[in-house]
Amino acid sequence: MKQRHLGVAAIAAASVLLFSGCSAGGDGGDANTIKVAYQKFGQFTQMDDHMKKVKDEFEASHEGMTVELVPIEAQEADYFAKLALMNRSAATAPDVMYEDTFMVKTDVEAGYLAPLDDYIADWEDWDQFPENARQAGAGDDGKIYGIPMGTDTRAIWYNKNLLADAGIETPWVPETWDDILDAAETIKASSPDTIPFNIYSGKGQSEGASMQGFQMLLSGTDDVLFDSDEQKWVLGSQGFEDSLGFIEDIYQGGLGPTPQQALDKNIGTTINSEWIPGGELAMSLDGSWASGTWIETGSSPWPEWSDVMEVAPMPTQDGSDPGRTSMSGGWTLAMGSGSKNPDAAWDFISTALSKDNSLSYDVAASQVAVRTDVAEDPEYTDANPTFGFFSELVADTHFRPANSDYSKVSAEITVAMESVMTGQQTPEEAAATYDQAVIGIVGEENTMAASD
């Protein structure tokens, strides 16, 4: 997470807005009240619905207990910052929090999270979580700090009618990056008012840009961001520069949103709530959860979505094996290290992630299920025509580096993307700037040249 320098007045104002009336979970807090913090932003309202449902269920079965819900209405990067601000004070730290898997190690290192091993040892449901799902919530010490709610994969959503109107045969299955660029050029020539392709980019999009944009590209090259064997960050790779080159082709080539549009923190909501249903955007590199916006219970119901939208795997750069790529992440529920009532906090987590509650949330939020019993349930498999496609991508997916410095390095990726998309630097210049920034973060001894 990129550090931000806030003035005293700004911090005070943020604290008043966030924490007025909050007392549970810290010094002077009421052990009969547990505080649950989570994200609620734009089209992502499913978590809020889920937490309200679990609150009612928990309070009904725990006489005398109260759940205080704290929905944080902020885009991803701002959510991380506000959650960290809550965790810095014992008086405001939540008992339960919605925790991105890539932040688990960082927040464990900061002392914000409590290990859950003693609880899961007696939790029969833990058997339903495969080993790779379990590790999503693990710290560097091997202990479990978060229970996964679901995972995700990413691919290209496309409007088959817009592609057909441009003379592109569907189903469309691009085999290389050039196939994507060629299709975008064809659409631009056929329908100048249509935005051909979206790939999230820039600092304001945080992980939406770094993971969902840049790393979806890099994972399709012969290079990596982090060498897991050497435990070092890789600098100077051709794949890194080529990935920035694709960003340049889209944004400086007029094949995507304008840089001004793309840098709007609300662009994700605009894309899935307006541009795609309105036929204004032809293709978008996005997550498996996107259709959760359009289903009947979503924030912008669009009954025709399954007749109009199709999905294609993101190809590798030159079509090399396995021919497609994806990135996976996901979110967990974690327990605050300062909870005055950890038993109650665990009961809330286990209630929220029971089989029935996991099923209802995974369907509503269009999640790739991690619980085996949910993934095999016909109510899940029949709920969405894209669930099977996105689940199959797990075989070729990649994950962000399991390193506590990742969040800071990731922020520098978005800086490089923004400088290229706005034309301030060439891909080569931006890559060189990134290399120096990473050395400043992790130390030169923790980096390696791509040729090493």
Side-chain angles (χ1 to χ4, degrees), residues 187-306:
I187 293 166
K188 180 181 179 181
S190 172
S191 180
D193 292 334
T194 299
I195 301 170
F197 188 83
N198 174 70
I199 180 169
Y200 294 106
S201 183
K203 293 179 287 188
Q205 305 313 317
S206 184
E207 286 302 286
S210 173
M211 178 194 184
Q212 194 161 308
F214 183 86
Q215 292 178 62
M216 279 289 291
L217 294 166
L218 184 62
S219 66
T221 72
D222 293 330
D223 293 302
V224 296
L225 191 65
F226 181 79
D227 189 306
S228 57
D229 292 331
E230 297 292 334
Q231 287 293 297
K232 292 185 177 183
W233 296 93
V234 178
L235 306 181
S237 76
Q238 188 62 50
F240 194 98
E241 191 174 322
D242 289 349
S243 298
L244 289 176
F246 185 91
I247 297 297
E248 182 180 50
D249 289 338
I250 293 295
Y251 284 100
Q252 291 296 302
L255 301 178
T258 66
Q260 182 179 11
Q261 290 172 321
L263 294 175
D264 181 352
K265 289 184 177 182
N266 296 309
I267 190 173
T269 299
T270 301
I271 285 173
N272 290 318
S273 298
E274 299 176 22
W275 289 357
I276 288 181
E280 300 174 54
L281 174 63
M283 303 176 285
S284 185
L285 182 58
D286 214 327
S288 47
W289 61 84
S291 60
T293 301
W294 309 320
I295 62 177
E296 185 177 353
T297 57
S299 58
S300 297
W302 179 29
E304 298 81 17
W305 78 268
S306 59

Side-chain angles (χ1 to χ4, degrees), residues 81-362:
K82 291 179 179 181
L83 185 59
L85 190 59
M86 290 182 73
N87 276 312
R88 286 172 193 158
S89 169
T92 56
D95 298 273
V96 176
M97 66 196 83
Y98 181 57
E99 178 86 357
D100 195 327
T101 54
F102 96 95
M103 289 298 296
V104 169
K105 288 180 170 62
T106 299
D107 285 348
V108 168
E109 192 174 89
Y112 297 154
L113 306 183
L116 302 174
D117 299 72
D118 289 345
Y119 291 104
I120 59 178
D122 298 322
W123 190 38
E124 291 183 0
D125 288 30
W126 191 234
D127 292 338
Q128 297 295 333
F129 292 78
E131 184 60 29
N132 61 344
R134 295 181 179 189
Q135 290 305 308
D140 284 331
D141 58 5
K143 296 179 180 179
I144 301 297
Y145 290 87
I147 308 298
M149 300 190 71
T151 188
D152 47 45
T153 52
R154 288 147 179 81
I156 302 171
W157 290 87
Y158 67 89
N159 183 316
K160 65 181 182 182
N161 296 334
L162 293 178
L163 267 64
D165 289 345
I168 300 171
E169 185 177 349
T170 60
W172 175 68
V173 184
E175 297 181 355
T176 66
W177 292 0
D178 283 343
D179 288 348
I180 297 172
L181 296 172
D182 289 345
E185 291 279 11
T186 299
I187 293 166
K188 180 181 179 181
S190 172
S191 180
D193 292 334
T194 299
I195 301 170
F197 188 83
N198 174 70
I199 180 169
Y200 294 106
S201 183
K203 293 179 287 188
Q205 305 313 317
S206 184
E207 286 302 286
S210 173
M211 178 194 184
Q212 194 161 308
F214 183 86
Q215 292 178 62
M216 279 289 291
L217 294 166
L218 184 62
S219 66
T221 72
D222 293 330
D223 293 302
V224 296
L225 191 65
F226 181 79
D227 189 306
S228 57
D229 292 331
E230 297 292 334
Q231 287 293 297
K232 292 185 177 183
W233 296 93
V234 178
L235 306 181
S237 76
Q238 188 62 50
F240 194 98
E241 191 174 322
D242 289 349
S243 298
L244 289 176
F246 185 91
I247 297 297
E248 182 180 50
D249 289 338
I250 293 295
Y251 284 100
Q252 291 296 302
L255 301 178
T258 66
Q260 182 179 11
Q261 290 172 321
L263 294 175
D264 181 352
K265 289 184 177 182
N266 296 309
I267 190 173
T269 299
T270 301
I271 285 173
N272 290 318
S273 298
E274 299 176 22
W275 289 357
I276 288 181
E280 300 174 54
L281 174 63
M283 303 176 285
S284 185
L285 182 58
D286 214 327
S288 47
W289 61 84
S291 60
T293 301
W294 309 320
I295 62 177
E296 185 177 353
T297 57
S299 58
S300 297
W302 179 29
E304 298 81 17
W305 78 268
S306 59
D307 295 324
V308 175
M309 300 301 294
E310 292 189 355
V311 282
M314 179 66 185
T316 53
Q317 182 178 13
D318 299 315
S320 57
D321 288 339
R324 64 184 186 179
T325 188
S326 190
M327 292 292 299
S328 289
W331 293 73
T332 71
L333 286 183
M335 183 191 299
S337 59
S339 176
K340 282 186 171 294
N341 195 335
D343 290 348
W346 168 253
D347 285 351
F348 185 90
I349 291 172
S350 60
T351 299
L353 296 177
S354 68
K355 197 257 185 172
D356 289 344
N357 284 331
S358 292
L359 173 61
S360 64
Y361 177 75
D362 288 346

Side-chain angles (χ1 to χ4, degrees), residues 2 7 10 13 29 44 52 61 96 100 128 160 237 371 377 427:
K2 189 174 183 182
F44 180 57
K52 289 176 180 176
S61 62
V96 176
D100 195 327
Q128 297 295 333
K160 65 181 182 182
S237 76
R371 286 187 61 125
D377 194 305

